[in-house]
Amino acid sequence: MYQSTKRKVYVLLHPALGNTLADRLLNLFIIVLILSNVLAVMLETVPSIYVSHHLFFHYFDMVSVVIFTVEYGLRIWSATADPRYKHSFYGRLRFMGTNEALINLLAILPFYIHLFIGLDLRALQILRLLRLLRVFHLTSYMKASRLIITVFRSRKNELLLSLALTLFLLIISSCLMFYFEHPAQPNKFTSIPHTFWWSIITLTTVGYGDLIPITIPGRILTGIILLIGVALFALPAGIITSGFLEESRKTKKQLPARCPHCGEELVEQ
Amino acid sequence: MYQSTKRKVYVLLHPALGNTLADRLLNLFIIVLILSNVLAVMLETVPSIYVSHHLFFHYFDMVSVVIFTVEYGLRIWSATADPRYKHSFYGRLRFMGTNEALINLLAILPFYIHLFIGLDLRALQILRLLRLLRVFHLTSYMKASRLIITVFRSRKNELLLSLALTLFLLIISSCLMFYFEHPAQPNKFTSIPHTFWWSIITLTTVGYGDLIPITIPGRILTGIILLIGVALFALPAGIITSGFLEESRKTKKQLPARCPHCGEELVEQ
Amino acid sequence: MYQSTKRKVYVLLHPALGNTLADRLLNLFIIVLILSNVLAVMLETVPSIYVSHHLFFHYFDMVSVVIFTVEYGLRIWSATADPRYKHSFYGRLRFMGTNEALINLLAILPFYIHLFIGLDLRALQILRLLRLLRVFHLTSYMKASRLIITVFRSRKNELLLSLALTLFLLIISSCLMFYFEHPAQPNKFTSIPHTFWWSIITLTTVGYGDLIPITIPGRILTGIILLIGVALFALPAGIITSGFLEESRKTKKQLPARCPHCGEELVEQ
Amino acid sequence: MYQSTKRKVYVLLHPALGNTLADRLLNLFIIVLILSNVLAVMLETVPSIYVSHHLFFHYFDMVSVVIFTVEYGLRIWSATADPRYKHSFYGRLRFMGTNEALINLLAILPFYIHLFIGLDLRALQILRLLRLLRVFHLTSYMKASRLIITVFRSRKNELLLSLALTLFLLIISSCLMFYFEHPAQPNKFTSIPHTFWWSIITLTTVGYGDLIPITIPGRILTGIILLIGVALFALPAGIITSGFLEESRKTKKQLPARCPHCGEELVEQ
């Protein structure tokens, strides 16, 4: 009887296992709660909203932490229903060390630290966002998220190399630009690190307009860097695309070259 | 005789069916009329044009609505020529519930609401634009539009996932940036939602320049976010490209489903 | 004798035919002359340069026109060496109607119109740039330029469709934005056509910063449009990439499925 | 004995050969030293840092040059351990002429020129960055860097052609824009070369906002150029992606060059 309750709780907290209405509703409730928490952390910083809803934020935070704490407790308690964490003490301890459990703990810890020690780390409550990463493990998105992770992993070296080339171009261009623009605008291009800021904002084509080259060599250099940058930023697109295609090719089943029944060769039609 | 007139009207209003000069001219006339309507709604808001062409806009709108109303009426009347909407009452009613008929109704409704009820919804006349979506059903663009829709649909999960990752990066970066920049520029980075505006304008590389980080950690964070953003925005390109390639591969020559020699079914290996 | 001179001139003026040092030098000379002409048209507009080099520009233009006129005359005279334009009168006339000859004429016409009629169309001299398009016909770039043209042509419909979708998004967003921002910034978002300017500068991520939404619904709309825009601008990249791949696949020779000598099946290794 | 020491030094200085802890540590030390040097050159230009750490930069530079000089000397001395540079005099001389040795020399030369001749070329110390290019030869990145180089090389013509098309669009658009905007903003769009700056900043979507068209034809032209630009900048992405895919296809399983059954050579069909 006790076992079956624990098992039920375990299944309830793992949406990938059960598929009943209760599972779906609980899962949806927790996702909405996390999203509301993230939204609350963001809205709290708006002075006009904070002043008029001060108490609401306080109670909403408290209620959320209570729910998250109960959920965390139930997760640890029901962890032994998982064959991997069978042992009632060491199993639960090992479960607490998993990424998922740590993220759940991180979501409630700042509140208790503030309550007991007085240290205000509530800004870290935004980390509750990390709990949403669990969404990617839902059955319907699992295939897509695995594909994206596989692509990034298989092309790690190529991507790091284009990052290195980008940083290279950024350093070279900020040094050259400093020597071109500093004499003309000593208050704008004050130093190379400051010019590095210009480089990154220009090469990524953000272009805030706070630092703008005005000398002719500076503008010619900007043009050259931007045209190189177009090719450089086409690199990650090419790398990632070829990664996607290779993965989709790997998972493709193919018709045989010969009929397995009569042995005759098959010609494409 | 009556039947044939209805049939003629039906064919005339469905450019994909007929191919005579009258069909083409009518179709072209309606497209030009819709485009002129959209242009008129836009130009009406320019004070200098509105003042001097006030009456023209008024009459042009009236004439357009009359034409669209007649067209709508003819469409409903001739709908029974379509075997799907054969029944003279329920068939027409069901036809009126189709997307196409609803869009046609939406194009004229605001005018009549203003005329009879006095409620000014004429701003909604811009919805006449939706009627242009029909262009995508023309024979010459049908293949291309189907291809694009198929690609987006088959990659829905991957695209949603990159959207989620983008939103994730936007939230994290706006929270961090608020804690870096708020003390230095309390009048610019006033709150996290306001900083979220900065995040989206920066990560999409629009860079209006109304909010610019000035602290060193804020600028380093901007650089890191932008470099991550380059990889992140290469994702949809990769996803969509691999979708296009898979579709183009599918429509190519394929091995037969059955062996042409022995007639046995062929299973993919 | 006469014929052979004409033939020599013909070959000399068509770099794709001959390959002697004279051919290369003449070709290089004309390319450099055209580039200098384009540069001259651009530099002439710089007041400080124009004032001090006024005469140089005048004589350089005159000399260029003389050279281009002689070249144009020789081309027409030697055109009959081409079997397609054999007939001494009609052949030359038909040659004068080709794109290439018209572009050559366009490069010298503005000068003569100014000289004889007095109409100053010299700004059109920038059209001499069009002559450089001939470079794409050089043997070494012909394959690449054909490939690019083929890709754009084979994907014309898909590209036009994404253009239509982009225009659609631009119109919808500028209408919505006008109704959101006009009341708040009547001097900035003055009309829908003016807001259309904002739409195009924002959606293409240029972001000059002359028009910036300040209302909350306007900013939320901007965010949504930009995220849709990322997917929309990934479309042409996907379309063009899949075009390139299909072309490269078509031109690929493949090993046979069976050895043509012994008839044994060949398995990939 | 002497030979073995030289050989040891040779292996030590070529991380790709040895794999002992000493190799890794020395390699890491040199990379960190180069990075610190680049950082020092950049930070030296920040006035507040330079004033307070003046001496530190001086000594750090001196120590670095000493280390780089010793390393350079050891490289030349041990070069004869490489069979390609066996000859003790001409071998070393030829080694000194390799790219790698020249880059190493370039990293220390400015210091000695300043010391002995007094000519201050220390700004060139940023060229020490070039030494980091060696990182791309490390075993783990060699495959990726070769792939990227092969792709760029095999698509050189297509990439040059899209560069030419981009320059073409830039010239045409800056000429047209000058004639549209100069009368309206003579102090902003002062000349065509100045408008060229506007073109490059707009077409690459940087959009600083220092030059903004205000006339209606100027804005319409901007819109058209930007929409063409989207397709134009999708070109390099498509070219590079198709390059990556072709390379990844080449390294895959292939049919044998000869029939394994009869030994006859197989010709592609």
Side-chain angles (χ1 to χ4, degrees):
Chain A
M1 187 58 209
Y2 164 80
Q3 182 63 26
S4 75
T5 312
K6 195 195 275 182
R7 180 75 203 162
K8 270 181 199 157
V9 169
Y10 179 75
V11 169
L12 208 60
L13 292 171
H14 289 79
L17 298 176
N19 221 348
T20 65
L21 189 65
D23 289 329
R24 287 163 179 278
L25 282 181
L26 186 74
N27 202 36
L28 193 71
F29 171 71
I30 288 180
I31 288 176
V32 169
L33 189 65
I34 296 169
L35 280 175
S36 318
N37 264 272
V38 169
L39 208 66
V41 171
M42 291 176 81
L43 291 177
E44 246 180 333
T45 60
V46 183
S48 63
I49 296 178
Y50 185 68
V51 168
S52 58
H53 296 77
H54 179 247
L55 276 176
F56 171 77
F57 283 120
H58 183 71
Y59 287 121
F60 180 67
D61 192 31
M62 251 174 59
V63 169
S64 305
V65 167
V66 168
I67 296 172
F68 288 146
T69 309
V70 169
E71 191 210 349
Y72 183 66
L74 285 175
R75 262 178 208 281
I76 289 173
W77 172 66
S78 69
T80 52
D82 184 330
R84 283 174 301 169
Y85 310 114
K86 243 182 183 170
H87 190 286
S88 66
F89 182 72
Y90 290 111
R92 281 188 178 121
L93 217 63
R94 270 176 48 225
F95 171 74
M96 285 169 77
T98 58
N99 278 338
E100 201 196 331
L102 285 175
I103 285 173
N104 283 7
L105 183 61
L106 215 62
I108 51 174
L109 215 56
F111 181 88
Y112 291 112
I113 288 176
H114 182 242
L115 195 69
F116 297 120
I117 313 182
L119 193 63
D120 195 350
L121 296 171
R122 281 176 304 175
L124 291 173
Q125 280 173 7
I126 202 70
L127 292 174
R128 284 177 190 167
L129 195 62
L130 289 175
R131 291 203 48 178
L132 283 184
L133 286 175
R134 228 186 37 171
V135 177
F136 298 149
H137 293 284
L138 292 182
T139 332
S140 45
Y141 288 96
M142 209 151 60
K143 218 178 116 188
S145 69
R146 254 187 216 161
L147 176 62
I148 290 176
I149 292 168
T150 312
V151 166
F152 271 103
R153 223 175 252 167
S154 73
R155 306 284 148 156
K156 208 187 65 187
N157 280 358
E158 280 91 346
L159 288 172
L160 280 177
L161 215 63
S162 21
L163 182 66
L165 285 173
T166 308
L167 288 174
F168 204 82
L169 186 63
L170 285 171
I171 291 174
I172 293 283
S173 69
S174 54
C175 289
L176 285 173
M177 195 49 108
F178 175 70
Y179 292 109
F180 289 150
E181 291 293 326
H182 180 65
Q185 309 184 76
N187 295 323
K188 292 261 183 178
F189 292 82
T190 52
S191 63
I192 296 185
H194 201 103
T195 313
F196 194 82
W197 169 248
W198 169 84
S199 292
I200 206 156
I201 291 305
T202 299
L203 198 70
T204 56
T205 76
V206 171
Y208 283 133
D210 51 345
L211 294 176
I212 304 175
I214 55 167
T215 67
I216 291 174
R219 292 189 161 185
I220 292 173
L221 178 70
T222 308
I224 294 168
I225 289 168
L226 282 171
L227 291 179
I228 296 176
V230 168
L232 207 56
F233 286 130
L235 257 185
I239 291 165
I240 288 171
T241 307
S242 77
F244 270 109
L245 283 167
E246 206 144 285
E247 287 313 311
S248 82
R249 217 182 284 153
K250 269 183 198 161
T251 57
K252 205 119 175 232
K253 289 187 292 177
Q254 284 182 321
L255 283 176
R258 283 178 169 281
C259 175
H261 307 289
C262 67
E264 286 279 349
E265 196 191 350
L266 294 166
V267 188
E268 295 198 342
Q269 291 178 327
Chain B
M1 188 61 208
Y2 165 81
Q3 181 66 26
S4 75
T5 312
K6 194 195 273 183
R7 180 76 202 164
K8 269 182 201 157
V9 169
Y10 179 76
V11 169
L12 208 62
L13 292 171
H14 288 80
L17 297 176
N19 222 347
T20 65
L21 190 65
D23 290 329
R24 286 163 182 277
L25 282 180
L26 186 76
N27 201 37
L28 194 70
F29 171 71
I30 288 180
I31 289 177
V32 170
L33 189 66
I34 296 169
L35 280 175
S36 317
N37 265 274
V38 169
L39 208 65
V41 171
M42 292 176 80
L43 290 178
E44 246 180 332
T45 61
V46 183
S48 63
I49 296 177
Y50 186 67
V51 168
S52 58
H53 297 76
H54 179 247
L55 276 176
F56 170 78
F57 283 121
H58 184 70
Y59 288 121
F60 180 67
D61 193 30
M62 252 173 59
V63 170
S64 304
V65 167
V66 168
I67 296 172
F68 288 147
T69 308
V70 169
E71 191 210 350
Y72 184 66
L74 285 175
R75 262 178 207 281
I76 289 174
W77 172 66
S78 69
T80 52
D82 184 331
R84 284 175 300 170
Y85 309 115
K86 247 182 180 169
H87 191 285
S88 67
F89 181 73
Y90 289 111
R92 283 188 178 120
L93 216 64
R94 270 177 48 226
F95 171 73
M96 283 169 78
T98 59
N99 278 339
E100 202 195 331
L102 286 175
I103 285 172
N104 283 7
L105 183 62
L106 215 61
I108 51 174
L109 215 56
F111 181 87
Y112 291 113
I113 288 176
H114 182 240
L115 195 69
F116 296 121
I117 313 183
L119 193 64
D120 194 351
L121 295 170
R122 281 175 304 174
L124 290 173
Q125 280 172 8
I126 201 70
L127 291 174
R128 286 178 189 166
L129 195 63
L130 288 175
R131 292 204 45 182
L132 283 183
L133 286 176
R134 228 185 38 169
V135 177
F136 298 149
H137 293 285
L138 292 182
T139 332
S140 45
Y141 289 97
M142 208 150 62
K143 218 177 117 187
S145 70
R146 255 187 215 159
L147 176 63
I148 290 176
I149 291 167
T150 312
V151 166
F152 271 103
R153 221 174 253 169
S154 74
R155 305 285 147 158
K156 207 188 65 188
N157 280 358
E158 280 91 347
L159 287 173
L160 281 177
L161 214 63
S162 19
L163 182 67
L165 285 173
T166 307
L167 289 175
F168 203 83
L169 187 63
L170 285 171
I171 291 174
I172 292 283
S173 68
S174 54
C175 290
L176 284 173
M177 196 48 108
F178 175 71
Y179 292 109
F180 288 150
E181 290 294 326
H182 180 66
Q185 308 185 77
N187 296 324
K188 292 261 183 179
F189 293 83
T190 51
S191 63
I192 296 184
H194 201 104
T195 314
F196 194 83
W197 169 247
W198 168 84
S199 292
I200 205 156
I201 291 304
T202 299
L203 198 69
T204 56
T205 76
V206 171
Y208 282 134
D210 53 344
L211 294 177
I212 304 174
I214 55 167
T215 67
I216 292 175
R219 293 189 161 185
I220 292 172
L221 178 70
T222 308
I224 294 168
I225 288 167
L226 282 170
L227 292 178
I228 295 175
V230 169
L232 207 56
F233 286 129
L235 256 185
I239 290 165
I240 289 171
T241 307
S242 76
F244 272 108
L245 284 167
E246 207 145 284
E247 286 312 311
S248 82
R249 218 182 283 152
K250 268 184 198 160
T251 58
K252 279 182 66 180
K253 288 194 301 177
Q254 282 182 324
L255 283 177
R258 284 180 170 280
C259 176
H261 308 289
C262 66
E264 287 276 349
E265 202 182 340
L266 293 166
V267 188
E268 295 200 339
Q269 292 178 328
Chain C
M1 188 59 208
Y2 165 80
Q3 182 65 26
S4 75
T5 312
K6 194 195 273 181
R7 179 79 202 160
K8 268 181 200 159
V9 169
Y10 179 76
V11 168
L12 208 61
L13 291 170
H14 288 79
L17 297 175
N19 222 346
T20 65
L21 191 63
D23 290 329
R24 287 164 180 277
L25 282 180
L26 187 76
N27 201 37
L28 194 70
F29 171 72
I30 288 181
I31 288 176
V32 169
L33 189 67
I34 296 168
L35 281 176
S36 317
N37 265 273
V38 170
L39 208 65
V41 171
M42 292 176 80
L43 290 178
E44 247 180 330
T45 61
V46 183
S48 62
I49 295 177
Y50 186 67
V51 168
S52 58
H53 296 76
H54 180 246
L55 277 176
F56 170 77
F57 284 120
H58 184 70
Y59 288 120
F60 180 66
D61 193 29
M62 252 173 58
V63 170
S64 304
V65 167
V66 168
I67 296 173
F68 287 147
T69 309
V70 168
E71 192 210 351
Y72 183 65
L74 286 174
R75 263 178 207 280
I76 289 173
W77 172 66
S78 69
T80 52
D82 185 329
R84 284 175 300 171
Y85 311 115
K86 246 182 182 169
H87 191 286
S88 64
F89 181 74
Y90 290 111
R92 282 192 178 118
L93 216 65
R94 270 177 46 225
F95 171 74
M96 283 169 77
T98 58
N99 278 339
E100 202 194 333
L102 285 175
I103 286 172
N104 283 7
L105 183 62
L106 215 62
I108 51 174
L109 214 58
F111 180 88
Y112 291 112
I113 288 176
H114 182 239
L115 195 68
F116 296 121
I117 313 181
L119 193 65
D120 195 352
L121 296 170
R122 281 176 303 174
L124 290 173
Q125 280 173 9
I126 202 72
L127 292 173
R128 286 178 189 166
L129 195 63
L130 288 174
R131 293 203 46 179
L132 283 183
L133 286 176
R134 228 184 37 171
V135 176
F136 298 150
H137 293 283
L138 292 182
T139 332
S140 45
Y141 288 96
M142 210 151 62
K143 218 179 115 188
S145 69
R146 255 187 215 160
L147 176 63
I148 289 176
I149 291 167
T150 312
V151 165
F152 271 102
R153 222 174 253 169
S154 73
R155 305 286 147 157
K156 208 188 64 188
N157 280 359
E158 280 91 347
L159 288 173
L160 281 177
L161 214 63
S162 19
L163 182 67
L165 285 173
T166 307
L167 289 175
F168 202 83
L169 187 63
L170 285 172
I171 291 174
I172 292 284
S173 67
S174 53
C175 289
L176 285 173
M177 196 48 110
F178 175 70
Y179 292 108
F180 288 151
E181 291 293 325
H182 181 65
Q185 308 185 77
N187 296 323
K188 293 260 183 180
F189 291 84
T190 52
S191 63
I192 296 185
H194 201 105
T195 313
F196 194 83
W197 168 248
W198 168 85
S199 292
I200 205 156
I201 291 304
T202 299
L203 198 70
T204 56
T205 76
V206 172
Y208 282 134
D210 51 345
L211 295 176
I212 305 175
I214 55 167
T215 67
I216 290 175
R219 294 190 161 183
I220 291 172
L221 178 70
T222 309
I224 293 168
I225 289 167
L226 282 169
L227 292 179
I228 295 176
V230 168
L232 208 55
F233 286 129
L235 256 185
I239 291 165
I240 289 171
T241 307
S242 77
F244 271 109
L245 284 167
E246 207 145 284
E247 287 313 310
S248 83
R249 219 183 281 153
K250 270 183 198 162
T251 58
K252 207 125 173 222
K253 290 186 293 179
Q254 284 184 320
L255 283 176
R258 283 176 169 280
C259 175
H261 308 288
C262 66
E264 287 277 349
E265 195 191 351
L266 294 166
V267 187
E268 295 199 342
Q269 291 178 330
Chain D
M1 187 58 208
Y2 164 80
Q3 183 63 29
S4 74
T5 312
K6 194 195 274 183
R7 180 77 203 160
K8 270 182 199 158
V9 169
Y10 178 76
V11 168
L12 208 60
L13 293 170
H14 289 79
L17 297 175
N19 221 346
T20 65
L21 190 64
D23 290 328
R24 288 163 179 276
L25 282 180
L26 187 75
N27 201 36
L28 192 70
F29 171 71
I30 288 180
I31 289 176
V32 170
L33 190 66
I34 296 169
L35 280 174
S36 318
N37 266 272
V38 169
L39 208 66
V41 170
M42 292 176 80
L43 290 178
E44 246 179 333
T45 61
V46 183
S48 63
I49 295 177
Y50 186 67
V51 168
S52 57
H53 296 77
H54 180 245
L55 276 176
F56 170 77
F57 283 118
H58 183 71
Y59 287 121
F60 180 66
D61 192 30
M62 251 174 60
V63 169
S64 304
V65 167
V66 168
I67 295 171
F68 288 145
T69 310
V70 168
E71 191 211 350
Y72 184 65
L74 285 175
R75 261 177 208 280
I76 289 173
W77 171 67
S78 70
T80 53
D82 184 330
R84 285 174 300 170
Y85 310 115
K86 243 181 184 170
H87 192 286
S88 65
F89 181 73
Y90 290 110
R92 281 187 180 122
L93 217 63
R94 271 178 45 225
F95 170 74
M96 283 169 77
T98 59
N99 279 339
E100 201 195 333
L102 285 175
I103 285 172
N104 283 7
L105 184 61
L106 214 63
I108 52 174
L109 216 57
F111 182 87
Y112 291 112
I113 288 175
H114 182 240
L115 196 68
F116 296 121
I117 313 181
L119 193 65
D120 195 350
L121 296 170
R122 282 176 302 176
L124 290 173
Q125 280 173 8
I126 201 72
L127 291 173
R128 285 178 190 165
L129 194 63
L130 288 175
R131 293 203 46 178
L132 283 183
L133 285 176
R134 229 184 38 171
V135 176
F136 299 149
H137 294 283
L138 292 182
T139 332
S140 44
Y141 289 97
M142 209 150 61
K143 218 178 115 188
S145 68
R146 255 188 215 158
L147 176 62
I148 290 176
I149 291 167
T150 312
V151 166
F152 271 102
R153 225 176 251 168
S154 74
R155 306 284 147 156
K156 208 188 65 187
N157 280 358
E158 280 90 347
L159 288 172
L160 281 177
L161 214 62
S162 22
L163 182 66
L165 285 173
T166 307
L167 289 175
F168 203 83
L169 187 63
L170 285 171
I171 291 174
I172 293 283
S173 67
S174 53
C175 289
L176 285 174
M177 195 48 109
F178 174 70
Y179 293 107
F180 288 150
E181 291 294 325
H182 180 64
Q185 308 185 76
N187 296 323
K188 292 261 184 179
F189 292 83
T190 53
S191 63
I192 297 186
H194 202 103
T195 313
F196 195 83
W197 169 247
W198 168 84
S199 293
I200 206 157
I201 291 304
T202 299
L203 198 69
T204 56
T205 76
V206 172
Y208 282 135
D210 52 345
L211 295 176
I212 304 174
I214 55 167
T215 68
I216 290 174
R219 293 190 161 183
I220 292 172
L221 178 70
T222 309
I224 294 168
I225 289 167
L226 283 171
L227 291 179
I228 295 176
V230 168
L232 207 56
F233 286 131
L235 256 185
I239 291 165
I240 289 171
T241 306
S242 76
F244 272 109
L245 283 167
E246 207 144 284
E247 287 312 311
S248 83
R249 220 182 281 154
K250 269 184 198 160
T251 58
K252 278 182 67 182
K253 289 193 299 174
Q254 283 180 323
L255 283 176
R258 284 180 169 281
C259 175
H261 307 290
C262 65
E264 287 277 350
E265 203 182 340
L266 293 166
V267 188
E268 295 198 341
Q269 291 177 327

